[in-house]
Each structure stands twice: as structure tokens, then as C-alpha cells.
Amino acid sequence: MSHLSLQPSAVKHEPFDPAQEIARLESLLAGRRAELSTLQAEFRAFKTRYAQVVGSRLAELADVEREIREAERRTLGVRADNAADVATSANVTAPPPSGQTTLRKLFWSVARLFHPDMATGETEARRRHEIMTAANRAYREGDVDSLHTLLGDEELQSYCATRDGADAADDPATHIFKLKEELRTVEFGLKRIKQDRLYQLKLAADEAATHGRDALAAEAARIARQIGKARNRLAHLC
């Protein structure tokens, strides 16, 4: 009677090839970079349209509401220098500081963290340059959200804090590590955009467009009605 062998058969493992892994990671990274670049471009285009169609209406509504508050203060006989006290007692949120000042402070905070002059190697310098390019673009476009994203991005901060002092391309193991780190950074950038509240609005607008509806125009019309009501209220106060 023959007996079956219960010993497991030998499994052959392919030897690890650093060059093959580098090629795989570089290909994956290139694809993710292209995806991130496309996503950023589409998001910027949407934010520009949002600012034109909806943002201008929101700004107009804010102006009218500010005039209403001033008219109410005049009606109550409250001087302008006591406005903050009135706002507090009435649970009214005081107007935010100048948007331009906030934008400038955010930009310089990003610059202090990520300026290329603080790099310790060529790889890190290139990454810092990319970050500052994005920060400069956000500053020009008045994109506060993007500056906040850069400033709060722990992955980017960790990446730029790495002090290798040598170019990763000279060392396959280090190069693989750097590629994985950069891939994580790009993946994190994709995740942050997709979680952005305004990006969710973009997805909803895109979905509405497939059904022949213009969601931004509808939102602008809704705000326009609010403006009309606010102006009527202002007229009665004056």
C-alpha cells in the first residue's frame, strides 16, 4: 500500500529586484501624480466658477447684512466703537478680519515650513519647490482652503523634515523609501481634495449637470432671493 507524502512542496520565491520595484513605484507614482494634477485643475476651474456665480452673490449678501447691522445700531443709538459689545450681547458674530490679511499670514506660515532654502538635499529641495509653487498659486487665486491644507498636511511636513543629505537615486533602498513616501504624500493630497466640502459640492453639481440642471445657478438664484429679502428689511430700517 503506497503512502502519500505529507511534506509540503517547496515554494520558489523570486529574489527581490530593487530595480524592478523602483520601476513599479515610479510608474505608480507617475499615474497618481497625473491623477492629482487633473483633479487639482478640475477643482480650480470649479472654484473659479463657484466664485463667479455664487461667491459674488454671497459677497453681496454679506454687504447687505452688514448694512442691516449698521442700520440696527443707528436705530438703537449705539456708536460704532461699541459695535463689538452689541454684537456680543446679541450673539451676533463679528465680521471676520480682512481676507487679504488672513491670506498673507497663511502664505507666510507655509513659506516658513516649506521654503526650498531649508532643504538638506536635492530631492527635498525639489519637493519643497513644488509645495511653494502650489502655495504661490493659491495666494494669487485667493485660495485660503488650499493654504490651510498645505499648512495642516502632516505627511508633507514629515517628508520635508527628512534629513538624508544625499540624493536617493544613489541608493536603491533609500530611493524606494523616498518613492513610497512621495506616493503616500500624493495619495494624501488626493484624499484631502476628495474630502473637501467644496469638492463634494462639485460632485453634486456634476451629477446635476448630467440631468440638465445647473446647481450653481440654482444656488445663486436662492441667494439672490435672500438678498432681495435683506434689502427689503434694510429699506424698512432706513
Side-chain angles (χ1 to χ4, degrees):
M1 184 176 183
S2 62
H3 295 280
L4 296 174
S5 174
L6 298 178
Q7 293 183 353
S9 58
V11 178
K12 292 184 178 180
H13 295 280
E14 292 293 331
F16 177 73
D17 184 350
Q20 186 176 8
E21 178 66 1
I22 287 172
R24 185 188 72 82
L25 289 170
E26 287 180 339
S27 176
L28 182 59
L29 181 58
R32 289 292 189 269
R33 279 175 173 167
E35 183 181 351
L36 179 59
S37 179
T38 299
L39 202 65
Q40 288 172 331
E42 292 175 351
F43 195 26
R44 283 196 301 272
F46 176 78
K47 286 192 286 189
T48 298
R49 182 165 181 261
Y50 181 88
Q52 293 170 345
V53 177
V54 178
S56 58
R57 292 290 191 182
L58 287 172
E60 184 180 354
L61 179 60
D63 288 341
V64 178
E65 289 177 340
R66 184 170 57 252
E67 290 180 39
I68 289 173
R69 289 194 297 270
E70 291 172 356
E72 288 174 339
R73 287 196 291 267
R74 287 195 299 269
T75 300
L76 294 171
V78 180
R79 288 177 11 179
D81 56 2
N82 292 330
D85 294 335
V86 173
T88 301
S89 63
N91 294 321
V92 177
T93 303
S98 168
Q100 189 63 30
T101 300
T102 301
L103 187 70
R104 191 182 304 113
K105 286 181 178 179
L106 280 171
F107 174 79
W108 285 114
S109 295
V110 172
R112 280 194 294 271
L113 278 175
F114 298 116
H115 198 280
D117 288 350
M118 294 184 290
T120 58
E122 292 182 13
T123 303
E124 184 183 338
R126 286 196 296 270
R127 189 71 187 103
R128 285 177 176 272
H129 178 73
E130 291 173 1
I131 295 168
M132 289 308 302
T133 298
N136 277 302
R137 182 174 58 245
Y139 182 76
R140 288 195 307 272
E141 297 175 357
D143 187 350
V144 173
D145 289 341
S146 290
L147 290 174
H148 271 301
T149 297
L150 289 172
L151 198 56
D153 194 330
E154 295 179 0
E155 291 281 349
L156 284 178
Q157 293 177 25
S158 175
Y159 179 85
C160 287
T162 302
R163 330 246 347 144
D164 52 5
D167 189 52
D170 297 333
D171 179 357
T174 306
H175 190 34
I176 289 172
F177 173 78
K178 286 291 189 180
L179 286 171
K180 288 181 177 179
E181 286 291 299
E182 190 165 358
L183 184 59
R184 276 193 287 269
T185 299
V186 173
E187 294 280 9
F188 188 75
L190 287 165
K191 180 180 177 181
R192 289 295 291 264
I193 290 177
K194 291 177 180 179
Q195 290 179 339
D196 190 285
R197 180 191 61 80
L198 196 57
Y199 184 78
Q200 297 299 316
L201 182 60
K202 175 189 178 301
L203 294 180
D206 290 344
E207 175 64 22
T210 63
H211 299 286
R213 299 194 303 272
D214 189 333
L216 292 189
E219 178 66 7
R222 185 186 68 81
I223 298 170
R225 290 192 293 272
Q226 286 185 293
I227 292 171
K229 292 178 181 178
R231 289 198 179 281
N232 287 335
R233 183 182 175 192
L234 179 61
H236 284 91
L237 287 170
C238 295

